[in-house]
Structures are given as C-alpha cells and as structure tokens.
Amino acid sequence: MRLSQLKPGETAVVTKILGHGAFRKRVMEMGFVRGREVTMVLNAPLQDPIKYKLMDYEVSLRRAEADMIEVEPFDRLKHDGRATRHPDTASHDPAKEDNGEEFVAKHKIINVALIGNPNCGKTSLFNIVSGAHEHVGNYAGVTVGAKAGTVKYKGYRFNIVDLPGTYSLSAYSPEELYVMRYLNQEMPDVIVNVVVASNMERNLYLTTELIDMNRSMVIDLNMYDELERSKAVLDYETLGKLLGVPVVPTKASTGWGVDRLLDTIIDVYEMKHKDVRHIHVKMRPELEKGISQVKDIIKNDPTVPANFSPRYLAIKMMEGDPEADVQLRNAASYKEIAETRDKEVQRIERDLNEDVSAAISADKYGFIQGALAETMEGNVLEEQKTTRLIDAIVTSKVFGFPIFICVMLLMFWATFQLGSYPMEWIESLVSWISGLIGEHMADGPLKDLLLDGIIGGVGGVIVFLPNILILYFFISMMEDTGYMARVAFIMDKLMHRMGLHGKSFIPLVMGFGCNVPAIMSTRIIESKSSRLITILINPFISCSARIPIYVLLVGAFFPNHGALVFFGLYLLGVIVAVITARLMRKFWFKEDETPFVMELPPYRIPTSKAIMRGMWSKARQYLSKMGGIILVASIIIWALSYFPRYEMEQVPQSYISATIADMPEQLHQDKSAEEIDGLVLNSYQQENSILGHIGKFVEPVVRPMEYGWRTTVALLAGAAAKEVVVSTMGVLYVGEDDADLISQRLSRPSNLTGQPPFTPAKALSFMVFVLLYFPCIATLAAIARETESWKYAAASLAYNTVLAWILALLTYRIALLF
C-alpha cells in the first residue's frame, strides 16, 4: 500500500521509494528509508498535507508525495511474525510460511517493465521468464496491452509487465501513450529495455529517451545469436559503461542469458551494479541551452510531479509532446515553462534552420552512432541477404499478389478439407457421450438440459475446433515468419485507395481468426480516422466463428465446390469492407494523410513450440468461449424452447398426422412408435415455445428471403456468438445433435409441402446474411471499448444488419435465376 493510505494512528514500515531525482534524495535524507517505521499522525484541515512521525520527530508530506512511498502496515508484519524496528532487518519466520512456499519480504519484490520496439522479442522474453503463454508474432503490434506475470528467483519475486511495443516515448500512437502513462503512474523499480542485437542503431533511440528519464534500467540485448551469425563483434560491456546502463546479451527463444539478466536486474535494484551511472545524451550547444532554460524552471518548481526527470520533461516540452504538456499543466510555473519553451524553440529553429524535433532526433542518432563506432566491429546488415532475396520474390510486382492469393486459397482449402477428418472424430465422441447419458439417466428436465441444451449446444460447436486450429496455424505462420508485414506492404496502395493505411490490412487479416483481437490490434495504426474505419469494417471480415455455419451448409448443398464457396464468401466480406471504408472516408471522416511507416522485420523460421503455443492459445480462447458465452446462450436457447411444457394429449391430431407424414423414412425405420411420438411432441413444443413465438414475430422481416421461423430464431441466437447459430438449428430442426441429420433435414423436401427448409439459393443467401449481419456481443463490446463510445457499436449493429438484409435478398433472387 501507499503511505498516503494510512489512517491516523496507524504505523507502517517503508518498503520502497517510488519517487525520482531530487524528491527521492530529499525524503531519504529525512529518514524515509527501507525498513523504517512511520506513523500517520493527522491530516491538515483540508486533508492535505499529512503529518507523520518517524525517528522521534514529525514531518509533513503532501498527499501526492506520500503516494510515492510504498509501505507495509506494521500490524500485518507483526501478525506474520515479520515486524522489525530497524532498517533493512525485516525477515520471515519459516513457521509462518503459507503452503510451504518461502515468504518473499516486501522489499524483495521487484516490479519490472519490459519496454522495447515492436518485434524486438519482449513477449518471447516475458513468456520464458514468467512462464506465461502470450502469442508471439514477427510483426509490429502483437502485444496491444500490458501483460503481467510473476516469477520467483533467488529469494526475490519479480512482477513483470510486458508493455506494448513502441519506437519512442511520444504521444504519437495509443501504444506510446499507454507506455508513457504506465511509467508515470506505476513507477516500475527496474526497466528492462529490450533491444534487437541485429538492429541496434534504430532500437537504441528509445534507449536514449529512457536514459533521459533517469530511471533504473537494464538493456537486454536480445536475439544475440543473429549478431553472432553476422560475424560482427560487439563489446557490450564497454557499451554499457558508455551508456551508464548494464547491457546483457540474451537469446529469448532458447532462454540463454536470462538468468544473467535476472541477476543484473537484482544488482541494479539493490544499487550494486558498477556500470550504473546517470549520463546526459549530449546535443548541440544551441539545443542544450534551450533544454537547460526549461529544465531549470521545472527543477525549481516543487509543484511539478517527481515521476519524470526535469531534463526528460524539458526535452519533451521542446518537442511539443502533448503528454508532457499534460504532466506540467497544473504546475505553478507552467506559464513560465511554456513561454520559455516557445521562445527557445524560435531561437533554435532560427539558429539551426531546422525543426527542433528533427534536430533532437538527429543528435540522438549521432550519439548512438558514436557509441556503436567505439564498441562494434563489422556490419550486421550482411545477415539480411536472405531477407532481401525472399522479398525480391514475395513483394515483387509480378509474383507478390499471385503468391498472396495462393496462400489464402491454401488456407481456406486446408481449413475445409483437412479439418473434416478430425471433425468427424469429435462428432463421434459427442454422439457417444450423448448416447451414454441418454441410456443411463432418468428422464426429466435435467436430462433434457444436458442433452439438448449443454451437449446439443456446446457439442454442436466443439466439432469445429479442428477447422479453427488449422486457420490459426496459417495465420500464426504468416505472423511468425514475417510474411504478414509483407502483406501489409504490398497491400498499402490498395488500402490507401480505400482511404486506409497499409497497417490496416493486418487487423483485417487477423479478423479471419476472430474480430475481437483483430479490433484490439488496430492500436498499431497511428491515424485516428484510419483506426476507426478499420474497427468498423472489421466485422465484415468472416471470423472463424462463422466456419461452423459454412461447413454445415456447404457440406449439405455445395459438397463439390466447398473451397470455392468458402473463398467467395470471404472475398465478398472483403469487398463489402472495402466499399464501406471508401464511403466512410468520403462522407464521414476527413482525409488523413498519415505516412506509411512500418518495420519490415527479417524473415525468421518459426519454432514448432511457438506455433503450437499460438494454436493452443487460440484453442483455449475458443474452448473458454464455449464454456462461457456459448454455454450460457445454449442454455438460454434451450430454456426458451423448453417452456411452456406440453403433453402429448395437448397436441392436435391434425398436427400429429402432418408431422409424422413429413418425417424421413430413415426415422420411421430407426425409431419406435414411442420415439416417433416423442419427436412429434418435441416439434410441437418448439413451435409453441417462447422461442417459437419470438421467431414467428420476427419472421416477417426475413420473409422476402423465405426464411422460416426456425431460421429466424437461429439468426437471433447468433447475437451471443455466431457458433450458436448451428447448435440452435440443430435443436430446432432435428431435436438432437447430429450433423448428418441436420444436413438431411435442411436439404430434404418436406412430405407435406414438397419443399425443403433450405435450397441451394436459400443456403447461399443465408450464408451471406450470416457473413454480414450484426456482430456478436463480444465484438460489439470490443468496438465500444476501442472507440471509447457505444455509438460506434450501435452504428455497426444497425448498418451491418440493414446491409446484410439487402445483399442476402439480392443473392437469393439472383441465385433463383440459376
């Protein structure tokens, strides 16, 4: 907890000082050191500042300053047998250990933040250190939020946070803003700056900004094997001395060097490492003069937050960074800071005939080049020959698009054809479980809930898990090899004509897997308008949740043209997304000319472990989705179709005769008379249930496509999750979970009407409707969260549904002509 949270009379022990620079030095001189007891005496009349007692004297701190001192309540320490009345002597009592685990004292907790450029290997390092299983991809923007993990090492507990990749600490993109605010609010004990060993010059620019912050830091020289293969030689120990930051080489993919990295973090945290010293990244005198003018005002103002160093804030103010302006806006000297900044910027630009931001960047890169010139021999870029050779083919004018189209066709073919075999195995397993329960469990609502609601709903969806795994295998391969970034490169011109950015293509491709993470990944797009458009058109990209619907209907009506129909549906979604994006850019959003700046990482051979980890991560998400929203939705659908209850005596004789006459011969052969009566009662039950009445009420809306009420109900159930459409159709059309029977029931002509519930034209129209109509609840929530407004989610729901209705009707009428 923080010192500011103590109540009058409470005593605590100081465990950590989170402040910076002069503040940190001042409070430590006053006795606020680790292990020291502090008692909260009272609040000032206006609740700020606060009076504390330590070492037999009293001192007052503002609440904001007290909030930067971590403490452990003395009563809690006393209860645990860990109370101490002398600095740095806190210890644990083995008798008090919980579950046999060694207690880690509060001052043995190290909060670590992983910061680095996109695609630098932060998430790989995070996974191997913390044991987490985050997805790792070889392109910018895989990590779109902070991931937290914990590891115990040599008596310390490391709380590790993997922050989004960022090229700098400027409020230019959502990732950069997120990282800046995290460093401001959380104040990690040690920053681990992950740097790609084979591209140090570009990666070290972020390092210079972290040096300006004057935070405790370690440089992790990741992918060191790539530098070794290039035969370049780096004296990383000397480089660490020059930068004042320890440098540790690692190979995060294998774990080599990670223990040494953790040892170095401990040394830096305990202020024992010999290479740690504070340096200034020196710039031209004209710049240094202006920075000093602003820095001195910030330094002398006690109302300026102590979260960042005065020099860092001064540099950011000179660059016109809006987040730095927010940090200083409430300072007493803000007006003087802003006026001095404006005056110095004008002077510098007049003297140098150059923009201040450009001059600062140039000087920082000059500093980096000088440091590398002293410590490195050889050229790492020689290793890029293979990448250039592959790029000459996959990004060429002649082969680029054909290769991409072939990859997409292969992905869809494998998803549909290869996935059919394991799908049959899982289907057999589900049928066996259903039969087991049906034979050994007494009849009643609970049995019906298990068979029709849970197994019928979830079981009808879980069979499509192999198809989804195959799809994510291809997406993971494209990400991990670096091909996904090339796809964005070759598609930029086309995306630009749509009014979007080349980077927009990555979230759109990710949408083939799931729209929710795809929408979250739009944070890699710096342009706000391009990001909003990408978010709003993403639901048109056919996600993996729609695969079960396609597999069912394609298998029933287009068995010989499955891959072609699949590809056509996905292509239609892309075309609708393109047209919608163009219309939005023309009529809704202003033209945005954000430059296309995107890293093209070197090609890398993905490890089988990384691929399997990515696939398992998605499988786990899919299974948890079935255990959550799909299970709940299936139970709700079952309940709505189960109530009110009817007895056979309540079913009109005319209905019984018509239903029996409409049954396929196979049922008459396989079922007894009692079972046939049960199916008749089930059919009547469904039609007159709450769900049946809802479907009949909404049916007129889709009557132009000649969808029945059962089809209408299935569409409504898709609001929970698109996979639920299949399970709902199984419950309503067949009354049991059997994919073959569902296919037969949908395609077989009725004995009464002579018409099947579905025809090829109706099936094609239905798939188009499912492709385009309103997103699932999870996607709508993601849209609202990423746009920070529910109005965009509501707009997506309304626009997508109306468009789906129009195109589904056109598809049906055109298909009838053929």
Side-chain angles (χ1 to χ4, degrees), residues 1 63 101 105 184 247 257 309 378-379 455 513 541 584 598 612 625 631 642 675 736-737:
M1 66 183 294
R63 189 170 293 275
E101 291 188 6
N184 175 34
V247 178
S309 74
N379 189 356
I455 296 177
I541 304 302
M584 285 183 179
M598 182 177 179
M612 295 306 295
K625 192 176 181 183
L631 176 61
Y642 193 77
E675 290 173 326
E736 56 182 298
D737 181 33

Side-chain angles (χ1 to χ4, degrees), residues 414 416 440 496 502 555 649 673 734:
F416 180 67
H440 296 88
H496 187 69
E649 294 75 16
V734 180

Side-chain angles (χ1 to χ4, degrees), residues 507-508 511-512 514-516 518-519 522 532-543 546 550 573-574 576-577 580 584 722 768-776 778-780 782-783 792-793 795-797 799-801:
L508 295 180
F512 289 128
C514 179
N515 295 134
V516 175
I519 287 170
T522 58
L532 285 172
I533 294 175
T534 307
I535 288 172
L536 293 173
I537 67 173
N538 207 286
F540 291 124
I541 304 302
S542 189
C543 67
R546 295 173 172 94
Y550 300 158
V574 172
V576 170
T580 300
M584 285 183 179
K722 293 297 180 283
V768 169
F769 196 95
V770 168
L771 167 70
L772 302 175
Y773 83 130
F774 55 79
C776 67
T779 302
L780 289 172
I783 292 173
Y792 289 108
S796 177
L797 189 152
Y799 174 79
N800 291 24
T801 304

Side-chain angles (χ1 to χ4, degrees), residues 598-661:
M598 182 177 179
E599 179 186 1
L600 294 177
Y603 288 99
R604 295 189 174 100
I605 299 174
T607 63
S608 57
K609 184 178 180 180
I611 293 293
M612 295 306 295
R613 178 179 284 169
M615 290 175 64
W616 167 242
S617 174
K618 299 306 177 185
R620 187 176 58 188
Q621 290 177 19
Y622 187 71
L623 292 171
S624 66
K625 192 176 181 183
M626 284 188 292
I629 191 169
I630 294 177
L631 176 61
V632 172
S634 297
I635 292 174
I636 292 173
I637 294 296
W638 170 84
L640 291 175
S641 64
Y642 193 77
F643 297 103
R645 300 301 296 159
Y646 294 91
E647 299 296 335
M648 195 65 187
E649 294 75 16
Q650 297 175 271
V651 183
Q653 187 60 46
S654 59
Y655 186 90
I656 296 174
S657 302
T659 304
I660 292 176

Side-chain angles (χ1 to χ4, degrees), residues 77 80-84 86 88-94 103-105 107:
L77 290 171
D80 291 342
R82 297 182 279 120
T84 176
H86 303 284
D88 300 321
T89 59
S91 62
H92 74 279
D93 181 356
F103 171 77
V104 180
H107 70 273

Side-chain angles (χ1 to χ4, degrees), residues 340-359:
T340 304
R341 183 269 314 271
D342 295 340
K343 183 181 69 175
E344 290 301 315
V345 166
Q346 291 179 0
R347 179 189 61 78
I348 292 169
E349 292 182 346
R350 183 180 65 250
D351 293 348
L352 298 180
N353 195 28
E354 186 178 11
D355 177 75
V356 170
S357 296

Side-chain angles (χ1 to χ4, degrees), residues 661-680:
D662 198 33
M663 286 183 178
E665 290 298 324
Q666 181 183 344
L667 281 179
H668 287 287
Q669 296 171 4
D670 297 342
K671 304 288 184 181
S672 64
E674 184 179 335
E675 290 173 326
I676 293 292
D677 286 346
L679 292 176
V680 172

Side-chain angles (χ1 to χ4, degrees), residues 357-584:
S357 296
I360 291 174
S361 297
D363 283 11
K364 287 192 172 185
Y365 274 114
F367 171 82
I368 294 167
Q369 290 169 354
L372 293 178
E374 290 188 40
T375 56
M376 178 179 280
E377 295 180 5
N379 189 356
V380 181
L381 296 179
E382 292 176 2
E383 183 68 12
Q384 306 292 337
K385 289 181 180 178
T386 303
T387 293
R388 288 197 296 269
L389 181 63
I390 298 174
D391 273 349
I393 299 172
V394 301
T395 63
S396 69
K397 186 183 297 185
V398 178
F399 300 107
F401 284 101
I403 289 174
F404 171 64
I405 292 172
C406 288
V407 169
M408 293 292 105
L409 283 172
L410 176 63
M411 181 172 73
F412 298 136
W413 175 84
T415 299
F416 180 67
Q417 298 292 342
L418 299 182
S420 63
Y421 300 105
M423 186 179 75
E424 293 174 1
W425 305 336
I426 297 176
E427 197 172 56
S428 300
L429 177 63
V430 171
S431 298
W432 177 77
I433 294 173
S434 296
L436 201 65
I437 294 175
E439 292 176 11
H440 296 88
M441 194 170 179
D443 292 338
L446 180 59
K447 179 180 178 180
D448 294 336
L449 170 63
L450 287 173
L451 289 177
D452 301 331
I454 297 176
I455 296 177
V458 175
V461 175
I462 198 173
V463 296
F464 301 103
L465 179 62
N467 306 84
I468 290 163
L469 285 176
I470 291 172
L471 179 66
Y472 272 111
F473 170 80
F474 278 91
I475 291 177
S476 295
M477 283 291 292
M478 288 193 290
E479 292 173 352
D480 295 354
T481 57
Y483 180 64
M484 189 75 84
R486 271 67 187 186
V487 170
F489 172 76
I490 64 176
M491 294 297 294
D492 178 62
K493 189 171 184 178
L494 179 61
M495 302 301 288
H496 187 69
R497 288 180 177 175
M498 290 168 52
L500 291 175
H501 200 275
K503 287 185 181 180
S504 297
F505 194 73
I506 291 175
L508 295 180
V509 172
M510 288 183 69
F512 289 128
C514 179
N515 295 134
V516 175
I519 287 170
M520 292 175 65
S521 72
T522 58
R523 298 177 190 177
I524 66 173
I525 305 169
E526 293 87 355
S527 163
K528 183 177 180 180
S529 61
S530 292
R531 185 167 176 259
L532 285 172
I533 294 175
T534 307
I535 288 172
L536 293 173
I537 67 173
N538 207 286
F540 291 124
I541 304 302
S542 189
C543 67
S544 60
R546 295 173 172 94
I547 289 178
I549 307 166
Y550 300 158
V551 171
L552 177 69
L553 295 178
V554 167
F557 296 97
F558 310 100
N560 299 323
H561 304 92
L564 185 61
V565 174
F566 255 64
F567 184 72
L569 287 168
Y570 280 77
L571 183 62
L572 175 62
V574 172
I575 291 172
V576 170
V578 169
I579 295 173
T580 300
R582 196 62 196 149
L583 292 173
M584 285 183 179

